[in-house]
């Protein structure tokens, strides 16, 4: 991507999904212009488009004020084109959904789908979650975290760029309430093995393989993987109680 950060503290990384550019169609641009203010969260930037100022904080209760502070919060990292989170938000109108996505056309498509569905319980942060999750949201503020089909970085020399690694697992653990699940899925066996190794060794998670999460819909990207002979691996890492 052309808008990676240049700050040495935040090494450049294409986040959750493989994307080939930031150019938008007229319809996507129009969706952002007309409805972006209703869904895309205003944040102060760091040194690049996908980074966030380190002293920035989100007040989740204010973001979702009509729903109330007691409404559950689900955070999705790598929303893509928004099919999963928009479907979930429509099915659970009293749950708060917060999406992280760096691919601007995907943000625009999510906005368009949310607008067309009349959603009032979805907000989108256009930023790299790996860079900002550790400070942007309060500790123990999310009931669930979802990471479905993150960029597999298939070449071995690129595996270090994968999102699911010990440092990011600690960021997710900080965010989750005690007993909160981190739901993950990938259609690449090597990445599933890495996820298992990372999460099984992490002191703040208990790892389970409970089969496909019933709330995860079949997207066109997953169907394409199935058509190519790859099948999804679903994992659930549950946040252990804090001492």
């Amino acid at each position: 991507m052309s808008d990676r950060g240049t700050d040495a503290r935040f090494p450049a990384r294409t986040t959750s999904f493989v994307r080939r550019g930031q150019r938008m169609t007229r319809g996507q641009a129009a969706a952002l212009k007309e409805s972006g203010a209703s869904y895309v969260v205003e944040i102060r930037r760091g040194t690049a488009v996908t980074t966030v100022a380190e002293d920035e904080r989100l007040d989740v209760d204010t973001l979702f004020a009509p729903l109330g502070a007691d409404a559950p919060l689900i955070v999705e990292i790598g929303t893509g084109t928004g099919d999963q989170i928009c479907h979930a938000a429509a099915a659970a109108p009293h749950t708060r959904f917060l999406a992280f996505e760096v691919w601007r056309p995907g943000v625009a498509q999510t906005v368009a789908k949310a607008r067309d569905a009349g959603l009032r319980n979805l907000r989108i942060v256009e930023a790299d979650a790996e860079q900002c999750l550790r400070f942007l949201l309060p500790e123990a503020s999310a009931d669930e975290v979802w990471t479905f089909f993150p960029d597999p970085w298939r070449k071995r020399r690129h595996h270090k760029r994968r999102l699911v690694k010990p440092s990011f697992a600690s960021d997710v653990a900080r965010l989750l309430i005690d007993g909160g699940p981190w739901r993950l899925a990938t259609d690449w066996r090597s990445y599933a093995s890495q996820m298992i190794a990372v999460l099984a060794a992490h002191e703040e998670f208990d790892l389970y393989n409970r089969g496909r999460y019933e709330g995860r819909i079949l997207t066109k990207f997953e169907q394409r993987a199935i058509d190519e002979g790859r099948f999804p691996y679903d994992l659930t890492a549950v946040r252990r109680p804090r001492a």
Side-chain angles (χ1 to χ4, degrees):
M1 289 184 179
S2 61
D3 60 352
R4 292 181 182 180
T6 57
D7 192 325
R9 294 171 301 168
F10 307 123
R13 185 185 67 86
T14 303
T15 58
S16 303
F17 291 74
V18 175
R19 299 304 181 201
R20 296 298 186 225
Q22 296 284 5
R23 182 174 298 177
M24 294 189 293
T25 66
R26 290 183 179 179
Q28 291 167 352
L32 271 184
K33 182 177 180 180
E34 296 165 6
S35 303
S38 297
Y39 296 102
V40 181
V41 179
E42 290 284 341
I43 53 174
R44 290 182 297 107
R45 297 292 176 183
T47 58
V49 174
T50 59
T51 62
V52 178
E54 282 197 275
D55 60 349
E56 179 72 307
R57 303 290 184 271
L58 288 187
D59 185 334
V60 177
D61 294 343
T62 300
L63 279 180
F64 296 94
L67 293 178
D70 293 333
L73 174 67
I74 295 178
V75 175
E76 184 177 44
I77 299 165
T79 296
T81 60
D83 289 327
Q84 171 65 45
I85 202 164
C86 286
H87 177 270
H94 300 295
T95 295
R96 302 175 292 182
F97 290 86
L98 184 63
F100 282 82
E101 178 58 63
V102 296
W103 185 53
R104 197 142 223 261
V107 172
Q109 290 183 64
T110 303
V111 166
K113 290 168 184 175
R115 175 201 61 198
D116 293 346
L119 300 180
R120 296 291 180 267
N121 58 334
L122 170 63
R123 299 292 183 270
I124 306 162
V125 178
E126 187 181 351
D128 182 345
E130 185 178 20
Q131 181 261 317
C132 64
L133 200 67
R134 61 188 173 84
F135 60 80
L136 192 59
L137 296 169
E139 181 177 355
S141 60
D143 292 81
E144 297 190 18
V145 174
W146 296 349
T147 307
F148 297 140
F149 303 100
D151 187 336
W153 290 105
R154 287 175 285 170
K155 295 181 179 179
R156 183 175 295 276
R157 67 177 182 271
H158 292 158
H159 285 185
K160 62 185 179 181
R161 301 182 184 180
R162 288 173 169 173
L163 179 65
V164 181
K165 51 193 171 188
S167 59
F168 191 69
S170 294
D171 293 341
V172 174
R174 186 195 73 85
L175 183 63
L176 279 167
I177 63 171
D178 290 357
W182 182 12
R183 304 188 190 280
L184 307 100
T186 180
D187 55 352
W188 291 93
R189 181 178 297 179
S190 68
Y191 202 174
S193 296
Q194 177 175 323
M195 290 178 177
I196 291 170
V198 168
L199 295 170
H202 201 284
E203 62 182 8
E204 294 173 294
F205 284 108
D206 289 316
L207 182 62
Y208 302 92
N209 182 353
R210 294 169 171 167
R212 185 188 182 94
Y213 168 48
E214 62 182 10
R216 186 168 67 75
I217 64 171
L218 178 65
T219 66
K220 65 180 180 180
F221 299 104
E222 183 181 354
Q223 185 60 60
R224 182 184 303 164
I226 292 172
D227 293 342
E228 293 173 357
R230 300 190 309 278
F231 297 92
Y233 300 83
D234 281 73
L235 299 170
T236 301
V238 176
R239 206 319 177 175
R240 291 176 179 170
R242 291 166 171 80

